[in-house]
């Protein structure tokens, strides 16, 4: 209420904003758009529920019978839901831009804020921020579920599986890295959606890019050169190495290196999106 | 030109809201949107292209096989050893065993008592030449009537096994149980095989006087003179453990078994006169075997197996044509996108109101759309799968890797089934697009429902039991239609989704996807009728 009182006459306010469409105004406009439609909130809630539910279900499905050695990477197992949750995150990010193309809103947006790269940057900042927040809750819930479920399934501290705890360095890296992974998936999706505009095509490309590489790797496993290449440079295979806490020497790429590969994918997609947005008619 | 000046016929007027017209309208819509046609072509290209990439990339499988065989494998263009022969049914088979034989001319029979079956297993502590006593579960020895000594030729055999009692097996895939229990001097087993034309009958007995018929088989085209005698075979010892990281790891090493035969008796014409012992099916001399005769008492030692060749064993030599269809996943994604937009674009552009005004019977509109998208994607999937299977096999053999042969009927089922899988997935996407009216959500749900359970099933930390359930109850069950090799209880292997075995039968798996598509389509028709457009 007090803000409304302090704001000057409406006409004056608009003129001021066109004169200096600062990054702050762009962010505010984009935040209003995201906040006032029901889709993003539902998608974020859905992503959290899906990540935690799938993680808990996968953890509950694996049991370590007594007397056998179980080479299980328990932190990675308890974060299995990320593989599903990233699909919801991708929808959120794709809709953030292609929703505007679908309704024609993009022309109004670009008229109001002619600095097109700033619009994309504002969307990227907000989508990434929202996903980071939701991802933190989802990953926290998954780790908590793993902490409760794992000891009952034979993964006890006495057998070399300490309780999952964020105080443990590699577990913290896996958990925090998974949150960053989701944010990078969102940025990759936003970039691709900006290039192709149509939401269905964008989501198809994103999911294909993510899910195809592990399937192809499982088939070309006989070819060490190609399976190594795919595991090193495909966005999902490389990015999810951030979740590995055991057998780090055998990984095709180091955990942070893998996340870096995904970051390069996201950066290239956003860059392409930014360039296309600048050059193309809306 | 003539068509434009021909006046409209009365028949066309009355048939305006007929189903054929609705169908034609939907076909025209599909055909004239460039993006949809391009999307369908992309589906064909990625399905075939990724499949051919996989076929070419797996060229090093011969070198992997050399580890288990020990000898040089790569000779010239292809793998010379390690390639299994092809059995009468068209599947690859293992056919290596020690055979003590004589020719049998015309009808006749052979009867023998077996008093012991013992064996040697590789030591688990080292992978060298150390051995320990023991038998693999399907170590087998007995009597056999075989078309010829050519590996892969037809046969029928009665045998005792280590853990599975007396069995009658024929032509590699058939297996019939006889008396249960293990053989010993105190509890011997009598076996008999009788040939009468193309018919071979197997009997077993505990005492040599009371006989029970185990089975009768017809080996069509059996020549009048066949090879008959005693055999011993022991499949390679495998310690395959399921790897929690996906896939499996294990050791594989030859094992051997020794059977003591007594009271050998024969009827019919046996023109050979003397027994010949040799190892069948190992040209490189790697087979273990030998025999010793003292009167009617024979001691035969052998290794190898007479059984279908399967994937999922340690030291697996080749690929199946299923692996050349890995591009189906990429094609599916493209098809799902096109099929979803086929309806959601109408909502976005408002065209749906015109469509429904022109054809007020809404269920028919959706049926027409389903038929158009289903037919187009079926043809596209069929073409892509046929290209991937045909050229994939050629490419793989040119690159020197082995592809398990399958009967033409299986190959046809896989190719047609892949087309159906893609078509039904397209109908599911169309139906879900109608229900949700939003393309992004519909595309994601269908892709996640079909592709992710498969991904979790074949390449994840989930145990085989959990991934088995995922591949039973989710739409991903449909990938069972692409299974190339059947499972055999008489062959030890890790029958998991990651080695190409699905929990449901091929058509049952496809039926699961069809059920999802039918339910969603039903819901879509109900909603389309009730809702304002």
């Amino acid at each position: 209420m007090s803000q409304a009182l302090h704001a000057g006459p409406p006409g004056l306010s608009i003129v001021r904003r066109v004169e200096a469409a600062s990054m702050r105004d762009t962010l505010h406009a984009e935040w209003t758009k995201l906040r006032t439609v029901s889709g993003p909130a539902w998608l974020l809630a859905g992503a959290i529920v899906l990540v935690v539910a799938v993680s808990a279900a996968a953890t509950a499905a694996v049991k370590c019978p007594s007397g056998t050695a179980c080479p299980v990477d328990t932190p990675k197992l308890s974060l299995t839901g990320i593989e599903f949750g990233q699909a919801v995150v991708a929808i959120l990010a794709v809709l953030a831009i292609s929703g505007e193309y679908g309704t024609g809103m993009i022309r109004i947006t670009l008229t109001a804020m002619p600095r097109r790269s700033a619009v994309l940057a504002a969307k990227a900042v907000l989508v990434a921020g929202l996903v980071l927040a939701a991802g933190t809750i989802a990953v926290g819930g998954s780790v908590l579920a793993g902490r409760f479920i794992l000891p009952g399934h034979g993964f006890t501290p006495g057998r070399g599986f300490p309780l999952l705890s964020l105080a443990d360095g590699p577990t913290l890296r896996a958990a925090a890295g998974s949150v960053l992974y989701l944010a990078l998936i969102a940025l990759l999706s936003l970039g691709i959606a900006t290039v192709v505009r149509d939401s269905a095509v964008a989501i198809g490309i994103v999911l294909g890019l993510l899910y195809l590489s592990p399937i192809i790797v499982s088939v070309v496993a006989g070819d060490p050169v190609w399976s190594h290449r795919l595991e090193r440079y495909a966005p999902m295979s490389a990015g999810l190495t951030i979740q590995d806490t055991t057998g780090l020497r055998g990984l095709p790429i180091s955990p942070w290196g893998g996340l870096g590969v995904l970051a390069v994918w996201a950066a290239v997609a956003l860059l392409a999106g930014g360039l296309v947005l600048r050059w193309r008619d809306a | 030109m003539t068509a434009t000046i021909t006046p409209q016929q009365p028949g066309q007027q009355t048939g305006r809201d007929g189903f054929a017209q609705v169908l034609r309208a939907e076909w025209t819509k599909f055909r004239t949107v460039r993006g949809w046609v391009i999307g369908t072509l992309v589906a064909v290209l990625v399905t075939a292209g990724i499949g051919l990439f996989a076929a070419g990339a797996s060229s090093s499988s011969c070198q992997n096989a050399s580890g288990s065989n020990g000898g040089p494998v790569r000779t010239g263009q292809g793998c010379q050893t390690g390639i299994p022969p092809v059995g009468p049914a068209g599947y690859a088979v293992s056919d290596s065993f020690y055979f003590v034989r004589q020719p049998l001319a015309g009808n006749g029979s052979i009867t023998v008592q077996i008093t012991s079956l013992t064996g040697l297993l590789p030591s688990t502590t080292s992978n060298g030449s150390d051995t320990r006593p023991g038998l693999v579960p399907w170590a087998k020895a007995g009597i056999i009537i075989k078309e010829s000594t050519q590996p892969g030729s037809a046969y029928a055999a009665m045998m005792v096994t280590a853990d599975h009692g007396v069995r009658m097996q024929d032509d590699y895939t058939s297996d019939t149980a006889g008396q249960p229990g293990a053989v010993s001097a105190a509890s011997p087993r009598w076996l008999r095989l009788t040939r009468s034309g193309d018919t071979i009958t197997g009997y077993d007995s505990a005492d040599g006087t009371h006989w029970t018929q185990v089975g009768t088989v017809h080996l069509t085209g059996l020549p009048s003179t066949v090879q008959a005698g005693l055999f011993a075979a022991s499949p390679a010892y495998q310690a395959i453990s399921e790897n929690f990281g996906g896939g499996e790891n294990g050791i594989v090493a030859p094992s051997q078994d020794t059977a003591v035969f007594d009271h050998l008796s024969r009827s019919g014409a046996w023109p050979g006169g003397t027994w010949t012992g040799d190892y069948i099916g190992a040209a490189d001399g790697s087979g273990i075997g030998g025999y010793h005769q003292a009167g009617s008492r024979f001691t035969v030692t052998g290794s190898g197996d007479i059984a279908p060749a399967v994937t999922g064993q340690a030291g697996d030599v080749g690929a199946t044509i299923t692996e050349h269809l890995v591009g189906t996943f990429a094609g599916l994604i493209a098809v799902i996108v096109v099929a979803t937009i086929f309806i959601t674009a109408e909502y976005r552009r408002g065209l749906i109101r015109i469509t429904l005004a022109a054809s007020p019977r809404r269920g028919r509109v959706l049926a027409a759309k389903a038929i158009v998208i289903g037919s187009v994607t079926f043809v596209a999937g069929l073409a892509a799968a046929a290209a991937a299977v045909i050229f994939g096999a050629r490419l793989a053999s040119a690159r020197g890797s082995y592809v398990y042969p399958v009967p033409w009927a299986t190959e046809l089922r896989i190719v047609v089934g892949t087309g159906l899988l893609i078509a039904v997935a397209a109908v599911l996407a169309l139906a879900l697009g109608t229900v949700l009216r939003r393309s992004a959500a519909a595309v994601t749900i269908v892709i996640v429902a079909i592709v992710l359970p498969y991904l979790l099933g074949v390449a994840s930390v989930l145990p085989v039991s959990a991934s088995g359930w995922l591949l039973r109850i989710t739409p991903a069950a449909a990938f069972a239609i692409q299974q190339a090799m059947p499972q055999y209880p008489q062959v030890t292997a890790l029958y998991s989704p990651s080695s190409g075995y699905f929990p449901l039968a091929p058509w049952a798996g496809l039926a699961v996807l069809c059920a999802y598509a039918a339910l969603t389509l039903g819901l879509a028709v109900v909603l389309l009728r009730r809702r304002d457009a």
Side-chain angles (χ1 to χ4, degrees):
Chain A
M1 283 301 284
S2 60
Q3 272 189 337
L5 287 174
H6 286 290
L12 202 73
S13 165
I14 289 167
V15 169
R16 184 172 56 81
R17 285 187 187 175
V18 170
E19 278 170 355
S22 71
M23 191 62 202
R24 199 164 152 257
D25 297 324
T26 316
L27 272 173
H28 188 254
E30 292 301 330
W31 170 241
T32 309
K33 280 188 230 165
L34 274 176
R35 189 171 51 82
T36 51
V37 291
S38 62
W42 280 110
L43 287 169
L44 286 171
I48 294 171
V49 170
L50 199 62
V51 169
V52 177
V54 173
S55 296
T59 312
V62 178
K63 288 190 174 68
C64 185
S66 57
T68 54
C70 303
V72 177
D73 189 342
T74 45
K76 189 181 176 82
L77 174 66
S78 71
L79 292 168
T80 307
I82 298 288
E83 288 184 33
F84 274 84
Q86 63 182 352
V88 184
V89 166
I91 302 182
L92 171 78
V94 163
L95 287 183
I97 181 85
S98 65
E100 296 211 16
Y101 278 105
T103 55
M105 174 75 180
I106 188 75
R107 287 188 283 275
I108 299 168
T109 301
L110 296 182
T111 310
M113 294 172 284
R115 285 177 56 209
R116 297 183 169 190
S117 46
V119 172
L120 187 61
K123 282 186 188 294
V125 167
L126 288 171
V127 166
L130 284 174
V131 170
L132 283 175
T136 307
I137 301 170
V139 165
S142 300
V143 172
L144 207 60
R147 191 183 166 97
F148 283 119
I149 295 170
L150 285 169
H153 286 185
F155 298 98
T156 52
R159 297 174 68 184
F161 297 102
L163 279 179
L164 287 190
S165 159
L166 295 180
D168 173 47
T171 308
L172 179 64
R173 187 249 300 148
S178 297
V179 177
L180 291 175
Y181 173 85
L182 287 181
L184 289 172
I185 292 295
L187 295 179
L188 173 67
S189 310
L190 182 69
I192 288 174
T194 312
V195 174
V196 301
R197 291 182 279 193
D198 185 277
S199 59
V201 178
I203 203 85
I205 292 174
V206 170
L207 296 185
L209 203 57
L210 294 179
Y211 292 140
L212 281 182
S213 69
I215 292 176
I216 297 174
V217 166
S218 72
V219 169
V220 300
D223 187 333
V225 178
W226 268 107
S227 55
H228 188 69
R229 272 182 207 159
L230 281 169
E231 284 177 336
R232 267 179 87 88
Y233 302 119
M236 177 173 158
S237 310
L240 282 181
T241 55
I242 196 71
Q243 295 183 343
D244 284 278
T245 63
T246 59
L248 296 183
R249 282 168 187 276
L251 286 179
I253 192 165
S254 73
W256 287 110
L259 202 65
V261 167
L262 178 60
V264 170
W265 275 93
V268 169
L270 273 181
L271 191 68
L275 290 176
V276 167
L277 191 64
R278 274 184 106 157
W279 291 337
R280 197 172 53 191
D281 282 345
Chain B
M1 283 305 283
T2 49
T4 52
I5 53 167
T6 308
Q8 281 213 329
Q9 289 164 1
Q12 280 184 334
Q13 295 277 1
T14 53
R16 182 178 288 162
D17 60 348
F19 188 64
Q21 273 71 16
V22 183
L23 206 57
R24 185 149 175 262
E26 293 303 331
W27 166 240
T28 308
K29 277 185 213 165
F30 182 87
R31 173 171 71 76
T32 50
V33 178
R34 202 178 46 179
W36 300 348
V37 176
I38 292 175
T40 311
L41 289 176
V42 165
V44 175
L45 290 178
V46 292
T47 304
I50 293 179
L52 293 179
F53 162 73
S58 56
S59 64
S60 57
S61 56
C62 285
Q63 290 166 329
N64 292 348
S66 70
S68 58
N69 289 348
V73 170
R74 199 173 267 273
T75 313
Q77 278 292 305
C79 316
Q80 294 302 309
T81 44
I83 292 186
V86 178
Y91 286 107
V93 297
S94 308
D95 196 11
S96 58
F97 59 101
Y98 196 80
F99 195 8
V100 182
R101 64 191 162 85
Q102 281 197 33
L104 165 63
N107 297 338
S109 76
I110 179 168
T111 306
V112 78
Q113 181 201 36
I114 300 184
T115 54
S116 121
L117 181 66
T118 54
L120 291 175
L121 295 178
S123 170
T124 46
T125 50
S126 72
N127 55 359
S129 56
D130 289 353
T131 52
R132 61 192 162 99
L135 285 167
V136 293
W138 282 100
K140 51 183 81 163
I143 48 180
I144 184 168
I145 292 178
K146 193 165 167 63
E147 181 186 350
S148 70
T149 55
Q150 187 68 36
S153 58
Y155 75 94
M158 283 294 300
M159 66 199 73
V160 296
T161 60
D163 290 355
H164 300 277
V166 172
R167 317 294 290 198
M168 178 169 188
Q169 295 184 350
D170 70 280
D171 280 1
Y172 307 93
T173 52
S174 308
D175 176 41
T176 313
Q179 279 184 38
V183 64
S184 68
S187 162
R189 293 284 180 277
W190 290 78
L191 307 174
R192 175 179 289 164
L193 276 177
T194 307
R195 180 193 177 181
S196 173
D198 284 354
T199 306
I200 296 176
T201 312
Y203 303 88
D204 69 353
S205 166
D207 52 13
T209 49
H210 301 91
W211 290 91
T212 312
Q213 182 177 323
V214 179
T216 301
V217 298
H218 297 276
L219 303 180
T220 44
L222 202 62
S224 85
T225 299
V226 294
Q227 299 292 324
L230 312 173
F231 80 95
S234 181
Y237 172 79
Q238 303 183 58
I240 303 181
S241 59
E242 195 189 314
N243 194 342
F244 276 98
E248 58 277 349
N249 53 12
I251 61 162
V252 57
S255 71
Q256 53 176 293
D257 63 350
T258 301
V260 178
F261 299 82
D262 211 342
H263 301 109
L264 177 69
S265 64
R266 292 173 284 162
S267 70
W270 297 74
T274 56
W275 292 100
T276 312
D278 51 15
Y279 197 90
I280 304 296
D284 59 351
S286 65
I288 306 163
Y291 84 106
H292 173 75
Q293 182 184 0
S296 68
R297 184 184 173 89
F298 289 76
T299 307
V300 183
T301 299
S303 66
D305 200 5
I306 316 173
V310 297
T311 57
Q313 291 181 309
D316 191 356
V317 289
T320 63
I321 59 170
T322 309
E323 295 177 18
H324 301 163
L325 286 170
V326 65
T328 308
F329 292 95
L332 265 177
I333 290 177
V335 160
I336 287 168
V337 168
V338 170
T340 308
I341 302 180
F342 192 39
I343 181 76
T344 55
E346 295 220 9
Y347 280 103
R348 211 175 81 192
R349 309 263 178 229
L351 183 64
I352 190 76
R353 288 188 284 275
I354 299 168
T355 303
L356 296 182
S359 164
R361 296 176 66 176
R362 296 182 172 189
R364 281 188 169 192
V365 172
L366 202 58
K369 275 191 183 293
I371 289 173
V372 166
I373 200 74
S375 314
V376 167
T377 53
F378 173 71
V379 171
L382 192 70
V389 165
I390 293 167
F391 295 112
R394 285 191 190 171
L395 184 64
S397 64
R399 296 285 300 269
S401 64
Y402 176 72
V403 181
Y404 281 100
V406 293
W408 65 267
T410 305
E411 203 158 310
L412 190 67
R413 183 249 296 160
I414 290 174
V415 170
V416 173
T418 303
L420 287 172
L421 163 64
I422 288 181
V424 177
V427 172
L428 174 63
L430 173 80
L432 198 65
T434 314
V435 170
L436 297 178
R437 293 184 285 191
R438 286 190 175 82
S439 46
V443 166
T444 311
I445 290 173
V446 177
I447 291 177
V448 167
I450 295 183
V451 177
L452 255 193
Y454 178 85
L455 187 59
L456 282 178
V458 302
S460 82
V461 295
L462 292 187
V464 169
S465 59
S467 52
W469 278 108
L470 275 179
L471 292 172
R472 274 191 190 96
I473 58 172
T474 64
F479 288 104
I481 199 78
Q482 294 185 334
Q483 179 173 329
M485 316 274 284
Q487 285 188 29
Y488 298 100
Q490 73 268 35
V491 182
T492 306
L494 186 65
Y495 294 109
S496 66
S498 57
S499 47
Y501 298 94
F502 291 86
L504 289 179
W507 293 103
L510 190 66
V512 172
L513 178 63
C514 290
Y516 276 99
L519 284 175
T520 318
L521 199 61
L523 180 66
V525 169
V526 170
L527 287 177
L528 189 64
R529 280 192 182 140
R530 288 197 184 162
R531 258 181 340 209
D532 282 344

